[in-house]
Amino acid sequence: MNPWYLLYCKRSEQQRAEQHLKRQGVDCYYPQVSVEKIRRGKRSSILEPLFPNYVFASFDPEKISFTTIRSTRGVVDFVRTGALPTRVPFELITNLMSVEDSDEQRLALSDLFKPGDDIEIITGQFEGAEAIYKESDGELRSILLINLISRQVEVSTENKVLRKK
């Protein structure tokens, strides 16, 4: 089984990158999720990228070079740790595939928090900090108003690191 890597793509060109990579014989995974939005006054369900600007790719580095992948239309570069492209655990890919479009995932993307809710950050660099939920942006991140040093500072963080107080 070939290792999985994470590619950073040009803005809004994940689908193009995925198409060109597949033509080269690379297995790709571009997770998308159904999100309800209001467009022209009507509620509609649209597909949005789960991770904007990122595509997972699996290939044999002995058959297809890293340079070939990096030179593909829509691809900027590999996500790296130092000089080497970072390998993505196979378990992460299978877990994402299993929940990508399930009811559980749709629930996770709905507005679990309402503007003005008092919340506590449960992981990450702001762990234990109390905040006021402001809004959710299109990248499944939450904008928070955190009282730091007597003033409110906006911070972007993932919804999964939050819980209601």
mmCIF file of all heavy atoms in Angstrom, residues 36-55:
data_model
loop_
_atom_site.group_PDB
_atom_site.id
_atom_site.type_symbol
_atom_site.label_atom_id
_atom_site.label_comp_id
_atom_site.label_asym_id
_atom_site.label_seq_id
_atom_site.Cartn_x
_atom_site.Cartn_y
_atom_site.Cartn_z
ATOM 1 N N GLU A 36 -25.643 23.366 4.658
ATOM 2 C CA GLU A 36 -26.820 24.144 4.279
ATOM 3 C C GLU A 36 -26.486 25.622 4.353
ATOM 4 O O GLU A 36 -25.952 26.109 5.336
ATOM 5 C CB GLU A 36 -27.998 23.835 5.198
ATOM 6 C CG GLU A 36 -28.625 22.500 4.903
ATOM 7 C CD GLU A 36 -29.953 22.309 5.601
ATOM 8 O OE1 GLU A 36 -30.458 23.275 6.217
ATOM 9 O OE2 GLU A 36 -30.482 21.202 5.528
ATOM 10 N N LYS A 37 -26.791 26.344 3.265
ATOM 11 C CA LYS A 37 -26.539 27.776 3.187
ATOM 12 C C LYS A 37 -27.770 28.448 2.619
ATOM 13 O O LYS A 37 -28.572 27.836 1.927
ATOM 14 C CB LYS A 37 -25.347 28.070 2.289
ATOM 15 C CG LYS A 37 -24.045 27.562 2.844
ATOM 16 C CD LYS A 37 -22.974 28.536 2.546
ATOM 17 C CE LYS A 37 -21.714 28.066 3.265
ATOM 18 N NZ LYS A 37 -20.654 28.962 3.140
ATOM 19 N N ILE A 38 -27.892 29.715 2.884
ATOM 20 C CA ILE A 38 -28.988 30.493 2.321
ATOM 21 C C ILE A 38 -28.424 31.291 1.156
ATOM 22 O O ILE A 38 -27.515 32.103 1.317
ATOM 23 C CB ILE A 38 -29.626 31.421 3.373
ATOM 24 C CG1 ILE A 38 -30.213 30.572 4.496
ATOM 25 C CG2 ILE A 38 -30.656 32.326 2.731
ATOM 26 C CD1 ILE A 38 -30.779 31.351 5.644
ATOM 27 N N ARG A 39 -28.954 31.019 -0.036
ATOM 28 C CA ARG A 39 -28.535 31.702 -1.257
ATOM 29 C C ARG A 39 -29.763 32.275 -1.944
ATOM 30 O O ARG A 39 -30.730 31.558 -2.176
ATOM 31 C CB ARG A 39 -27.847 30.725 -2.222
ATOM 32 C CG ARG A 39 -26.613 30.083 -1.659
ATOM 33 C CD ARG A 39 -25.422 30.584 -2.407
ATOM 34 N NE ARG A 39 -24.213 30.159 -1.703
ATOM 35 C CZ ARG A 39 -23.123 29.771 -2.292
ATOM 36 N NH1 ARG A 39 -23.068 29.765 -3.594
ATOM 37 N NH2 ARG A 39 -22.072 29.423 -1.606
ATOM 38 N N ARG A 40 -29.710 33.555 -2.238
ATOM 39 C CA ARG A 40 -30.839 34.253 -2.873
ATOM 40 C C ARG A 40 -32.138 34.035 -2.109
ATOM 41 O O ARG A 40 -33.193 33.813 -2.687
ATOM 42 C CB ARG A 40 -30.994 33.811 -4.324
ATOM 43 C CG ARG A 40 -29.809 34.149 -5.190
ATOM 44 C CD ARG A 40 -30.085 33.762 -6.646
ATOM 45 N NE ARG A 40 -28.883 33.972 -7.428
ATOM 46 C CZ ARG A 40 -28.229 33.009 -8.045
ATOM 47 N NH1 ARG A 40 -28.655 31.767 -7.984
ATOM 48 N NH2 ARG A 40 -27.160 33.284 -8.743
ATOM 49 N N GLY A 41 -32.037 34.034 -0.795
ATOM 50 C CA GLY A 41 -33.207 33.905 0.057
ATOM 51 C C GLY A 41 -33.735 32.490 0.226
ATOM 52 O O GLY A 41 -34.733 32.294 0.896
ATOM 53 N N LYS A 42 -33.080 31.513 -0.388
ATOM 54 C CA LYS A 42 -33.533 30.126 -0.289
ATOM 55 C C LYS A 42 -32.450 29.275 0.355
ATOM 56 O O LYS A 42 -31.274 29.429 0.084
ATOM 57 C CB LYS A 42 -33.852 29.561 -1.677
ATOM 58 C CG LYS A 42 -35.027 30.238 -2.342
ATOM 59 C CD LYS A 42 -35.325 29.610 -3.667
ATOM 60 C CE LYS A 42 -36.497 30.309 -4.331
ATOM 61 N NZ LYS A 42 -36.811 29.724 -5.622
ATOM 62 N N ARG A 43 -32.888 28.350 1.186
ATOM 63 C CA ARG A 43 -31.969 27.415 1.830
ATOM 64 C C ARG A 43 -31.624 26.305 0.844
ATOM 65 O O ARG A 43 -32.500 25.696 0.247
ATOM 66 C CB ARG A 43 -32.620 26.818 3.073
ATOM 67 C CG ARG A 43 -31.703 25.941 3.887
ATOM 68 C CD ARG A 43 -32.387 25.499 5.155
ATOM 69 N NE ARG A 43 -32.693 26.639 5.994
ATOM 70 C CZ ARG A 43 -32.016 26.959 7.092
ATOM 71 N NH1 ARG A 43 -31.019 26.218 7.477
ATOM 72 N NH2 ARG A 43 -32.349 28.007 7.801
ATOM 73 N N SER A 44 -30.327 26.076 0.662
ATOM 74 C CA SER A 44 -29.895 25.006 -0.234
ATOM 75 C C SER A 44 -28.704 24.283 0.371
ATOM 76 O O SER A 44 -27.981 24.825 1.199
ATOM 77 C CB SER A 44 -29.536 25.574 -1.614
ATOM 78 O OG SER A 44 -28.466 26.479 -1.496
ATOM 79 N N SER A 45 -28.523 23.058 -0.048
ATOM 80 C CA SER A 45 -27.425 22.234 0.432
ATOM 81 C C SER A 45 -26.330 22.228 -0.622
ATOM 82 O O SER A 45 -26.581 21.886 -1.780
ATOM 83 C CB SER A 45 -27.923 20.814 0.699
ATOM 84 O OG SER A 45 -26.901 20.036 1.247
ATOM 85 N N ILE A 46 -25.114 22.618 -0.234
ATOM 86 C CA ILE A 46 -23.997 22.647 -1.163
ATOM 87 C C ILE A 46 -22.826 21.856 -0.584
ATOM 88 O O ILE A 46 -22.748 21.642 0.623
ATOM 89 C CB ILE A 46 -23.546 24.087 -1.492
ATOM 90 C CG1 ILE A 46 -23.041 24.797 -0.229
ATOM 91 C CG2 ILE A 46 -24.644 24.878 -2.156
ATOM 92 C CD1 ILE A 46 -22.329 26.098 -0.510
ATOM 93 N N LEU A 47 -21.933 21.425 -1.456
ATOM 94 C CA LEU A 47 -20.729 20.729 -1.013
ATOM 95 C C LEU A 47 -19.606 21.729 -0.826
ATOM 96 O O LEU A 47 -19.348 22.547 -1.704
ATOM 97 C CB LEU A 47 -20.299 19.670 -2.034
ATOM 98 C CG LEU A 47 -21.137 18.409 -2.083
ATOM 99 C CD1 LEU A 47 -20.656 17.501 -3.203
ATOM 100 C CD2 LEU A 47 -21.077 17.673 -0.765
ATOM 101 N N GLU A 48 -18.956 21.669 0.332
ATOM 102 C CA GLU A 48 -17.810 22.517 0.631
ATOM 103 C C GLU A 48 -16.636 21.621 0.995
ATOM 104 O O GLU A 48 -16.820 20.530 1.521
ATOM 105 C CB GLU A 48 -18.096 23.424 1.834
ATOM 106 C CG GLU A 48 -18.852 24.662 1.532
ATOM 107 C CD GLU A 48 -18.866 25.634 2.706
ATOM 108 O OE1 GLU A 48 -18.346 25.308 3.790
ATOM 109 O OE2 GLU A 48 -19.413 26.725 2.526
ATOM 110 N N PRO A 49 -15.411 22.088 0.749
ATOM 111 C CA PRO A 49 -14.256 21.291 1.166
ATOM 112 C C PRO A 49 -14.173 21.229 2.686
ATOM 113 O O PRO A 49 -14.417 22.229 3.364
ATOM 114 C CB PRO A 49 -13.067 22.040 0.578
ATOM 115 C CG PRO A 49 -13.559 23.407 0.285
ATOM 116 C CD PRO A 49 -15.037 23.310 0.077
ATOM 117 N N LEU A 50 -13.872 20.060 3.194
ATOM 118 C CA LEU A 50 -13.690 19.907 4.632
ATOM 119 C C LEU A 50 -12.426 20.627 5.071
ATOM 120 O O LEU A 50 -12.392 21.252 6.126
ATOM 121 C CB LEU A 50 -13.624 18.421 4.988
ATOM 122 C CG LEU A 50 -13.666 18.059 6.460
ATOM 123 C CD1 LEU A 50 -14.910 18.609 7.141
ATOM 124 C CD2 LEU A 50 -13.620 16.544 6.624
ATOM 125 N N PHE A 51 -11.386 20.555 4.243
ATOM 126 C CA PHE A 51 -10.128 21.248 4.497
ATOM 127 C C PHE A 51 -9.805 22.091 3.276
ATOM 128 O O PHE A 51 -9.152 21.601 2.350
ATOM 129 C CB PHE A 51 -8.995 20.253 4.763
ATOM 130 C CG PHE A 51 -9.292 19.286 5.865
ATOM 131 C CD1 PHE A 51 -9.507 17.946 5.582
ATOM 132 C CD2 PHE A 51 -9.374 19.699 7.177
ATOM 133 C CE1 PHE A 51 -9.785 17.040 6.590
ATOM 134 C CE2 PHE A 51 -9.653 18.804 8.195
ATOM 135 C CZ PHE A 51 -9.864 17.473 7.898
ATOM 136 N N PRO A 52 -10.246 23.346 3.229
ATOM 137 C CA PRO A 52 -9.981 24.177 2.049
ATOM 138 C C PRO A 52 -8.487 24.242 1.733
ATOM 139 O O PRO A 52 -7.655 24.356 2.626
ATOM 140 C CB PRO A 52 -10.513 25.546 2.457
ATOM 141 C CG PRO A 52 -11.545 25.251 3.495
ATOM 142 C CD PRO A 52 -11.022 24.056 4.239
ATOM 143 N N ASN A 53 -8.162 24.146 0.458
ATOM 144 C CA ASN A 53 -6.797 24.228 -0.084
ATOM 145 C C ASN A 53 -5.948 22.977 0.137
ATOM 146 O O ASN A 53 -4.745 23.015 -0.122
ATOM 147 C CB ASN A 53 -6.042 25.440 0.449
ATOM 148 C CG ASN A 53 -6.717 26.741 0.112
ATOM 149 O OD1 ASN A 53 -7.546 26.810 -0.784
ATOM 150 N ND2 ASN A 53 -6.385 27.787 0.827
ATOM 151 N N TYR A 54 -6.530 21.872 0.608
ATOM 152 C CA TYR A 54 -5.738 20.669 0.858
ATOM 153 C C TYR A 54 -6.324 19.457 0.148
ATOM 154 O O TYR A 54 -7.540 19.291 0.083
ATOM 155 C CB TYR A 54 -5.638 20.373 2.361
ATOM 156 C CG TYR A 54 -4.851 21.421 3.092
ATOM 157 C CD1 TYR A 54 -5.486 22.484 3.714
ATOM 158 C CD2 TYR A 54 -3.459 21.352 3.143
ATOM 159 C CE1 TYR A 54 -4.754 23.452 4.378
ATOM 160 C CE2 TYR A 54 -2.724 22.312 3.812
ATOM 161 C CZ TYR A 54 -3.377 23.363 4.417
ATOM 162 O OH TYR A 54 -2.645 24.330 5.059
ATOM 163 N N VAL A 55 -5.435 18.597 -0.364
ATOM 164 C CA VAL A 55 -5.816 17.338 -1.008
ATOM 165 C C VAL A 55 -4.866 16.266 -0.496
ATOM 166 O O VAL A 55 -3.656 16.490 -0.387
ATOM 167 C CB VAL A 55 -5.700 17.442 -2.547
ATOM 168 C CG1 VAL A 55 -5.910 16.087 -3.207
ATOM 169 C CG2 VAL A 55 -6.689 18.447 -3.101
#
